[in-house]
Amino acid sequence: MALLKEWHKIAYNEKMDQGEMQRFWADYFLKEQGVYEQLLTTPDEVVSGTVKELAEKYNLSLMEMTGFLDGINDCLVTPNPIEEMEEDTVVSLGFDKAKLYKGMVAANAEWLYGLPMWDDIFDKETQKALYLEQKKSGTVVVGKKVGRNDPCPCGSGRKYKQCCGK
């Protein structure tokens, strides 16, 4: 069975009680933070190897490494084949810095986008701009509603109710 399916069975186990699930994720997020601290210390270095080798390098279990790869995959320059990934699959952790920062913001992972290593990668203004860009990307802006007696937005000069509002 592909590693990703096994990870999903463990990580999203509905039979696990609430407290056990919270402990599982708290432990995972702590380990994930440790990996990101190492990766962000040398952000231009592209780390690669088999899933098993990377798990050993970052002191993670095979399943934890699979979860990490699942989480970072959308932020990689070249995505890994996570759907059919096995322990001997060669993967790369070459990430797009801006995409990764915005991905962390999108996940509401303040413990990740708040890491001090980001200060060496982006200045505070850039971090703020990326943060706002990501937050605004999910915001739907609804334009002002045209009233019946307002000028028609098509530019005809007629009232909306007499033109496009029919």
Side-chain angles (χ1 to χ4, degrees):
M1 179 188 300
L3 291 175
L4 188 63
K5 285 184 182 179
E6 286 182 53
W7 165 252
H8 283 178
K9 277 185 184 178
I10 295 167
Y12 305 107
N13 184 352
E14 294 177 8
K15 295 176 184 160
M16 201 183 301
D17 71 60
Q18 192 70 24
E20 196 177 352
M21 184 64 81
Q22 285 178 335
R23 283 187 298 280
F24 171 83
W25 282 107
D27 181 53
Y28 172 77
F29 290 147
L30 193 61
K31 291 177 181 177
E32 178 187 46
Q33 181 178 352
V35 176
Y36 277 119
E37 286 172 347
Q38 291 179 53
L39 286 174
L40 294 173
T41 301
T42 55
D44 296 320
E45 178 186 327
V46 177
V47 179
S48 63
T50 66
V51 177
K52 187 176 182 178
E53 289 169 349
L54 292 179
E56 290 169 1
K57 177 178 180 165
Y58 294 111
N59 296 319
L60 300 174
S61 71
L62 204 53
M63 286 298 103
E64 291 165 341
M65 190 68 219
T66 302
F68 181 82
L69 290 167
D70 184 26
I72 197 173
N73 206 48
D74 291 339
C75 303
L76 298 176
V77 175
T78 306
N80 291 312
I82 60 169
E83 296 292 331
E84 57 272 347
M85 187 171 61
E86 297 295 339
E87 68 179 53
D88 59 346
T89 304
V90 176
V91 293
S92 170
L93 297 179
F95 56 90
D96 178 302
K97 297 175 200 105
K99 249 186 186 178
L100 183 60
Y101 188 85
K102 291 194 300 189
M104 291 172 172
V105 170
N108 290 322
E110 188 176 347
W111 66 95
L112 296 177
Y113 69 78
L115 287 171
M117 293 80 182
W118 283 113
D119 296 339
D120 295 332
I121 299 169
F122 298 124
D123 59 36
K124 287 293 183 190
E125 284 182 20
T126 306
Q127 288 179 44
K128 185 176 181 179
L130 289 170
Y131 179 89
L132 291 174
E133 185 181 329
Q134 178 56 43
K135 288 296 186 182
K136 286 180 181 177
S137 72
T139 305
V140 177
V141 179
V142 179
K144 184 178 174 252
K145 186 176 176 183
V146 179
R148 290 173 33 91
N149 291 315
D150 290 340
C152 190
C154 76
S156 67
R158 300 169 68 193
K159 287 185 179 183
Y160 178 69
K161 69 180 178 185
Q162 297 289 328
C163 189
C164 296
K166 284 187 177 182

